[in-house]
Amino acid sequence: MATRAAQWYARCSQQRPFLTKSITTSVLFGVGDVLCQSLTPMTDAGYDTTRVAKMAAVGMFWTGPVLHVYFKFLSQLRFLNAAWKMTLFDQTFGACTLTASFYFVTALLDVMYEGGPDPLPRAVAAAMNLVNSELYGTMLVNWSIWPALNYFSFAYLPLEYRVLWASVWGVFWNAYLSYRAHEGAHSSFGSESPQHSHEL
């Protein structure tokens, strides 16, 4: 069963790589946020389905496409001719950039969705605040987990499976990122406008 699923995924990745990886990442981002909400106190209303949808949208329209391009880019850099070199590059330039962009896009989407006066300037300011407050702590946790996982990916997995590998392990990582993004958003949004400091 698992082998047939892997073969089906490989065919989809070869025929429509961009779409396949975007949809995969979207689904796993949504699952990660559901897991995050399951592990944290919820309101009487239960799961925040709007938040799940927004996280899935970030996976579909940002992180999935970016990871597809990024892993292809890494594989084409001739000086990264060993798995340890790819891991070192990934965990310095790559991880910092991708994590910062996740926080930025998530905060931007949250504030733009809420609306209000001058949403774009407030969204950009809140996004910058969220990156500044959360990036360093997130990277410390990242460096305790992802170097080993990505070394395995670069050393042993074909290119078409790397986004899937990162996304499957990323369910748990995305739950953590979602927690930090939405907890950190309280202070970031609150510093810009008190009326947007509630749970997103």
Side-chain angles (χ1 to χ4, degrees):
M1 185 72 172
T3 302
R4 294 176 67 179
Q7 291 172 346
W8 174 80
Y9 180 83
R11 286 197 304 271
C12 291
S13 293
Q14 292 170 357
Q15 295 170 0
R16 296 181 178 84
F18 192 88
L19 181 61
T20 298
K21 293 166 188 177
S22 296
I23 292 174
T24 301
T25 306
S26 176
V27 170
L28 294 175
F29 260 54
V31 171
D33 190 64
V34 170
L35 177 62
C36 174
Q37 294 189 48
S38 299
L39 298 176
T40 54
M42 287 189 289
T43 65
D44 293 337
Y47 287 102
D48 185 343
T49 55
T50 299
R51 186 177 120 175
V52 174
K54 286 188 286 186
M55 290 295 294
V58 171
M60 179 73 183
F61 298 108
W62 180 254
T63 304
V66 167
L67 286 178
H68 169 71
V69 173
Y70 173 68
F71 281 125
K72 187 174 182 179
F73 167 73
L74 280 185
S75 69
Q76 294 174 344
L77 293 178
R78 294 186 179 181
F79 67 91
L80 299 179
N81 55 2
W84 71 267
K85 293 181 181 180
M86 296 180 76
T87 303
L88 181 62
F89 181 89
D90 173 70
Q91 289 301 303
T92 50
F93 171 78
C96 291
T97 302
L98 292 170
T99 303
S101 74
F102 166 80
Y103 281 136
F104 189 91
V105 171
T106 300
L108 199 69
L109 181 61
D110 280 338
V111 178
M112 294 294 290
Y113 177 82
E114 290 294 316
D118 300 319
L120 184 57
R122 287 190 302 101
V124 171
M128 292 301 299
N129 287 341
L130 186 62
V131 171
N132 290 335
S133 66
E134 299 299 323
L135 182 61
Y136 178 72
T138 302
M139 292 311 302
L140 292 180
V141 178
N142 171 89
W143 289 324
S144 70
I145 299 170
W146 282 102
L149 292 173
N150 281 352
Y151 178 84
F152 179 87
S153 174
F154 297 138
Y156 301 110
L157 295 181
L159 178 61
E160 61 267 22
Y161 287 108
R162 289 175 186 171
V163 171
L164 178 63
W165 171 263
S167 295
V168 169
W169 285 104
V171 167
F172 306 101
W173 181 246
N174 294 338
Y176 171 73
L177 287 182
S178 180
Y179 172 78
R180 291 200 69 136
H182 291 93
E183 289 301 307
H186 290 306
S187 59
S188 296
F189 295 172
S191 65
E192 293 304 311
S193 173
Q195 69 187 27
H196 290 283
S197 62
H198 55 74
E199 180 70 29
L200 296 175

